[in-house]
Amino acid sequence: MNSLFPKTLIPSTSLSSSTRLTLTPNSLRHFKLHLPRLMSSDSSHRLFQLKLDPLTGNSEWVVIEDNDDLPDCSKEPLLATTSYLDMLNDSFRNKAFRSGIERTVTKPRHVLDIGAGTGLLSMMAARAMGLNGTVTACESYLPMAKLMRKVLHRNSMGKAISLINKRSDELEVGVDIPSRADVLVSEILDSELLGEGLIPTLQHAHDKLLVENPLTVPFRAVTYGQLVESTYLWKLHDLSGIEAKVSDGIHLVPTGSDSIIHVKSRQYPMHCDAIREEIKPLSEPFKIFEFDFWKRPESNGETKVQVQVIDDGNIHAVVSWWVLQLDREGTVFYSTAPRWINSPANIGYRDWCDHWKQCVWFFRGKGMSVSQGEEVLLEATHTETSVSYNLNVQVPKTDTRQHDHNIRDFQLLLSPERIAIYGDSKWRSSVLAAVRNALQGRVNPLCVVVDDSIFLTLLAANLSKTSHVLSLFPGLREKGAQYLENVVKANSFSMDRVEVREKRKPCLTLHDTHGKKVDMLIGEPYYYANEGMLPWQNLRFWKDRTLLDPILSEDALIMPCKGILKACAMSLPDLWSSRCCLGDVEGFAHSIVNTTLGACGELPAPKEGPFLPFSIWQCGEIKELSEIFTILEFDFSKPISSCHGTAQVKFIEGGTCHGFVLWVDWIMDTDNSIVISTGPEHRYWKQGVKLLSKPVAVGINGCNSNSEYGSTIVEALFEPSSSELILKHAFL
């Protein structure tokens, strides 16, 4: 079989060695967020952006200058991991803002657009005024401001709109803008509504930039909620309750220390429609907060809502969403409500999109037991950037775990998905079996846990009373050590057999291991705070194993032993629609942004859309079209090296193929009998998605017509020196 790669390889589709942080558009562009990884110099025309090498964990700052061209994005589109593209493909959003602006800006005025992005709202306002008014667009994120200039030029709007590359709190009337603005158009909203600085933005704008009683688009936002029961949501936060049902002798959450591991108290964005069958509503929807854009908001607010229970059950969470009223008259709306909510006809349902989801707030413990007809009191509080909830029952209840005050001084905050993995009995039994088998016959072994797995550390120390465990904890660091000290007694070992490396070094030496070579090098692999990355970026484990090669014993056991890169051709119409190339957006040309935003579709050769991490089960309509097939194998018994693989697979279902979904199966033992899969059927991991430039019609067992393909060849190359995974494909 001939290779799909040319002799001189051009990595047109790759995972860049410098993976940029994933941010929503407004968190990139808005002034109030104190972003730790984006810094501006004293000049507003220079920006420093953090770049991370996923295989080493090392990072570096790069400078983006204010010149005519955007930084080279031939390997990875600069803004591919933001939500700009998804947002611009949301036709419901675009039409709602257009209608709101056209109903509000009916004569020449001074319009201010904060967080202007590509300039879509600014151009809508300029058009609504017949290009006779004044539009000031404020865009603080330099790469976006540079892209906006190109969009304005393409649409002959450069003279009609004044673009200022500053934060909105840096604008001065008489210096940056000629006068206070009559109209504010802005879309600085996240799934929670407040997380991108809506309140401080409005406060400063009303104080310094807007006339009294200005016109605004949107006019108002209202948040709503619903009390629900859901075992799935419960498993995402109550490790203590889940672990009580597991009898493997490992106690991540010892009795009496329920809060030593838990999720951060915040709202979590989630596509709740994907778990509709696993959600039991326990109340009707209720109103929580109302925010008027046309007046100055308060920084903090509280409300109490008397909620009547409509069914027996346990209240595990609040599902929340918001509704925008775009115009003063109340004729134009946009809602993020889940589809099971009966929205009024004038609001309707939007298409699937990823930039705005519902939010979930977890109530601590196993939930509050309630009965139909009972009333509970929901207390909601908002700060400048977040909303929180507290639940109180109106009559005494025997279950008060949600009010547990037995909280230790130390708490380890983990993601909901990580807590669910640690509580999964099948996952735990598989890992336990792998470690137990690895320890058999070993006397006084030195075991190095190379990643951030507290579970593996406890296992290795618990299962062998003679082992010495050295945990590197590259992400957890001292938090990992403090956690172990708190759970050591409950897990029947002493800290004199467990050591956590305090300082990060380029590599361990025999000095660090007290002259003893490593008998076991293990990992899940799991790297703290990296759950949002592409699955093969956990090949950092292989890189770490290679760096430790000089201190491994001759018969050292490596776990996992192998990684298998798996793939499946899939129909992903909703995801593809949200990531496809832009043409005209409400009458304004946007094709110029496609490459920079990482679009799929009609891109100029040889450019293609990038790999992106998604939880496939949350991506709307999905369908597997091929068998699951292996592309590459990574052999961890040897030092890291380039890998190349080819697979030909037939389609088992007819339909439209939108791309390939990839993940890694981790082989935990040398017998290949214990496998930890991170594929789409396992909901706690993200997969990597490579969308096609153009959807392809496929058939079963050969072509059913001249327009259908019966199989595909997929070829992949992993190059560790550049951290790139390159994928090529051909349909047959």
Side-chain angles (χ1 to χ4, degrees):
M1 185 181 296
N2 293 327
S3 173
L4 300 178
F5 291 111
K7 291 183 179 179
T8 303
L9 184 63
I10 301 176
S12 59
T13 301
S14 63
L15 164 64
S16 169
S17 59
S18 301
T19 300
R20 293 173 179 84
L21 61 164
T22 301
L23 296 169
T24 61
N26 297 308
S27 59
L28 283 171
R29 69 194 187 206
H30 187 55
F31 78 93
K32 274 294 185 179
L33 294 187
H34 302 287
L35 298 176
R37 298 180 182 179
L38 291 173
M39 298 194 308
S40 295
S41 68
D42 292 338
S43 168
S44 62
H45 302 294
R46 175 181 296 171
L47 179 135
F48 297 91
Q49 183 156 332
L50 189 68
K51 295 168 67 178
L52 173 69
D53 184 334
L55 291 193
T56 64
N58 297 327
S59 58
E60 63 175 338
W61 292 99
V62 295
V63 179
I64 300 176
E65 298 282 0
D66 186 14
N67 50 40
D68 291 335
D69 296 320
L70 287 168
D72 175 39
C73 54
S74 59
K75 291 187 177 181
E76 180 193 357
L78 178 65
L79 301 174
T81 54
T82 69
S83 295
Y84 283 109
L85 183 63
D86 182 84
M87 189 173 292
L88 289 166
N89 270 313
D90 182 355
S91 61
F92 279 75
R93 164 197 176 265
N94 300 336
K95 290 176 182 177
F97 271 91
R98 176 178 180 172
S99 296
I101 288 172
E102 290 178 349
R103 290 174 180 272
T104 302
V105 186
T106 56
K107 61 182 180 180
R109 295 180 181 275
H110 181 191
V111 178
L112 174 63
D113 180 1
I114 295 179
T118 64
L120 178 61
L121 304 190
S122 294
M123 292 188 291
M124 287 178 176
R127 181 174 60 188
M129 296 186 293
L131 304 182
N132 292 320
T134 300
V135 179
T136 302
C138 173
E139 175 52 61
S140 65
Y141 184 51
L142 180 57
M144 201 67 233
K146 293 159 74 175
L147 191 60
M148 180 179 170
R149 289 192 196 111
K150 295 186 176 184
V151 175
L152 295 180
H153 178 74
R154 177 66 62 88
N155 289 278
S156 301
M157 285 280 189
K159 295 182 179 180
I161 297 169
S162 174
L163 170 59
I164 302 174
N165 177 215
K166 285 186 177 181
R167 303 181 324 197
S168 63
D169 67 341
E170 296 175 331
L171 298 182
E172 295 183 40
V173 174
V175 178
D176 302 295
I177 58 177
S179 62
R180 285 179 176 253
D182 308 296
V183 183
L184 172 67
V185 297
S186 187
E187 189 276 271
I188 43 175
L189 314 172
D190 65 351
S191 295
E192 190 178 13
L193 188 72
L194 305 181
E196 293 182 2
L198 174 64
I199 287 178
T201 301
L202 292 176
Q203 288 175 336
H204 179 268
H206 280 283
D207 291 343
K208 302 291 185 181
L209 305 175
L210 300 175
V211 299
E212 189 175 354
N213 297 320
L215 300 175
T216 64
V217 181
F219 178 76
R220 174 179 293 132
V222 181
T223 62
Y224 294 89
Q226 186 174 38
L227 303 179
V228 301
E229 176 184 81
S230 171
T231 300
Y232 174 77
L233 295 179
W234 170 64
K235 289 180 178 179
L236 290 175
H237 73 96
D238 184 21
L239 182 56
S240 173
I242 300 169
E243 199 172 50
K245 300 181 179 182
V246 180
S247 55
D248 55 17
I250 302 301
H251 305 285
L252 291 169
V253 181
T255 303
S257 303
D258 291 3
S259 298
I260 194 169
I261 293 179
H262 64 101
V263 298
K264 184 177 180 180
S265 295
R266 48 160 288 197
Q267 294 198 93
Y268 289 88
M270 188 179 300
H271 289 289
C272 290
D273 285 318
I275 55 171
R276 174 65 187 96
E277 300 304 315
E278 300 171 74
I279 285 181
K280 177 182 179 181
L282 294 179
S283 76
E284 297 293 345
F286 47 83
K287 179 179 174 180
I288 305 172
F289 286 115
E290 184 174 299
F291 300 93
D292 290 319
F293 287 56
W294 56 273
K295 64 182 180 181
R296 190 185 193 278
E298 297 296 327
S299 296
N300 300 283
E302 296 181 1
T303 188
K304 295 181 179 180
V305 184
Q306 204 81 11
V307 183
Q308 186 169 29
V309 177
I310 61 173
D311 205 346
D312 299 344
N314 285 314
I315 302 174
H316 291 132
V318 174
V319 173
S320 67
W321 61 93
W322 46 258
V323 175
L324 285 185
Q325 177 184 328
L326 279 300
D327 63 332
R328 184 183 294 269
E329 294 75 22
T331 63
V332 184
F333 294 90
Y334 181 98
S335 173
T336 64
R339 287 185 173 269
W340 70 76
I341 299 299
N342 294 320
S343 298
N346 63 336
I347 297 180
Y349 297 104
R350 58 182 182 155
D351 295 328
W352 183 92
C353 57
D354 198 52
H355 63 96
W356 287 327
K357 310 168 188 175
Q358 295 79 47
C359 279
V360 174
W361 173 277
F362 303 113
F363 290 115
R364 182 169 295 174
K366 64 182 181 181
M368 175 184 285
S369 178
V370 291
S371 302
Q372 182 178 359
E374 186 176 346
E375 286 193 345
V376 295
L377 183 66
L378 180 75
E379 299 173 346
T381 304
H382 78 76
T383 64
E384 288 187 345
T385 56
S386 65
V387 178
S388 60
Y389 302 95
N390 186 40
L391 199 59
N392 290 304
V393 71
Q394 295 300 94
V395 296
K397 283 286 173 183
T398 56
D399 179 17
T400 58
R401 288 185 58 184
Q402 66 272 18
H403 305 294
D404 177 21
H405 297 291
N406 184 22
I407 300 176
R408 291 186 174 221
D409 293 336
F410 174 78
Q411 296 178 348
L412 181 61
L413 299 179
L414 298 177
S415 71
E417 292 77 13
R418 175 52 32 181
I419 284 182
I421 290 170
Y422 279 155
D424 186 88
S425 59
K426 291 183 179 179
W427 181 87
R428 288 172 68 120
S429 62
S430 295
V431 176
L432 186 146
V435 174
R436 179 182 285 124
N437 293 344
L439 285 167
Q440 282 186 349
R442 295 184 180 270
V443 180
N444 301 321
L446 172 58
C447 177
V448 171
V449 179
V450 75
D451 63 358
D452 286 302
S453 178
I454 55 175
F455 188 74
L456 283 179
T457 300
L458 295 183
L459 269 182
N462 180 276
L463 293 177
S464 172
K465 303 307 179 184
T466 63
S467 63
H468 185 83
V469 183
L470 174 58
S471 292
L472 304 189
F473 289 161
L476 287 175
R477 305 284 183 87
E478 65 276 0
K479 288 183 289 188
Q482 293 173 41
Y483 167 78
L484 293 178
E485 290 172 357
N486 279 276
V487 301
V488 57
K489 184 177 180 180
N491 287 278
S492 305
F493 65 88
S494 59
M495 284 301 292
D496 60 356
R497 291 197 296 110
V498 178
E499 181 180 353
V500 177
R501 187 171 60 164
E502 295 181 359
K503 295 182 179 180
R504 180 167 182 169
K505 297 180 181 179
C507 187
L508 283 181
T509 65
L510 285 175
H511 174 76
D512 300 303
T513 62
H514 311 290
K516 181 175 175 58
K517 289 208 167 185
V518 176
D519 301 295
M520 293 173 56
L521 188 145
I522 63 177
E524 298 183 22
Y526 157 67
Y527 293 92
Y528 182 69
N530 280 5
E531 287 97 333
M533 301 181 79
L534 291 161
W536 47 87
Q537 290 177 330
N538 279 322
L539 289 177
R540 177 178 175 180
F541 171 83
W542 200 7
K543 183 77 169 181
D544 290 341
R545 172 258 178 269
T546 302
L547 293 174
L548 295 174
D549 194 66
I551 62 170
L552 297 179
S553 63
E554 291 185 3
D555 63 343
L557 183 140
I558 311 296
M559 188 192 87
C561 306
K562 289 189 295 186
I564 310 294
L565 184 66
K566 298 280 189 175
C568 181
M570 295 189 71
S571 176
L572 304 161
D574 291 327
L575 182 57
W576 196 89
S577 295
S578 76
R579 299 294 311 179
C580 67
C581 279
L582 299 166
D584 280 3
V585 179
E586 295 303 312
F588 297 107
H590 270 72
S591 61
I592 196 170
V593 309
N594 287 327
T595 299
T596 305
L597 298 186
C600 59
E602 302 301 327
L603 295 175
K607 297 184 183 300
E608 298 180 14
F611 284 111
L612 293 171
F614 282 99
S615 296
I616 289 300
W617 68 277
Q618 289 198 41
C619 289
E621 182 182 345
I622 60 174
K623 179 183 178 182
E624 294 184 3
L625 299 177
S626 75
E627 295 178 341
I628 295 172
F629 56 96
T630 295
I631 308 179
L632 292 177
E633 291 195 8
F634 311 111
D635 185 358
F636 303 145
S637 67
K638 303 173 183 177
I640 194 169
S641 61
S642 359
C643 301
H644 174 264
T646 304
Q648 180 171 348
V649 61
K650 292 182 178 181
F651 294 106
I652 59 174
E653 292 284 348
T656 301
C657 181
H658 295 94
F660 297 95
V661 176
L662 296 86
W663 64 92
V664 177
D665 283 356
W666 306 100
I667 312 302
M668 306 302 284
D669 64 336
T670 54
D671 295 330
N672 298 334
S673 61
I674 303 176
V675 180
I676 303 294
S677 177
T678 62
E681 71 276 15
H682 302 283
R683 297 189 292 184
Y684 306 134
W685 284 275
K686 289 185 183 291
Q687 293 77 47
V689 181
K690 171 65 177 69
L691 294 171
L692 303 180
S693 296
K694 187 176 182 180
V696 174
V698 301
I700 307 171
N701 298 325
C703 299
N704 294 328
S705 70
N706 292 332
S707 61
E708 291 184 351
Y709 295 94
S711 64
T712 182
I713 296 175
V714 179
E715 190 169 3
L717 174 67
F718 172 71
E719 182 49 62
S721 62
S722 59
S723 304
E724 292 176 357
L725 177 69
I726 306 167
L727 192 74
K728 297 288 183 180
H729 61 271
F731 289 91
L732 305 175

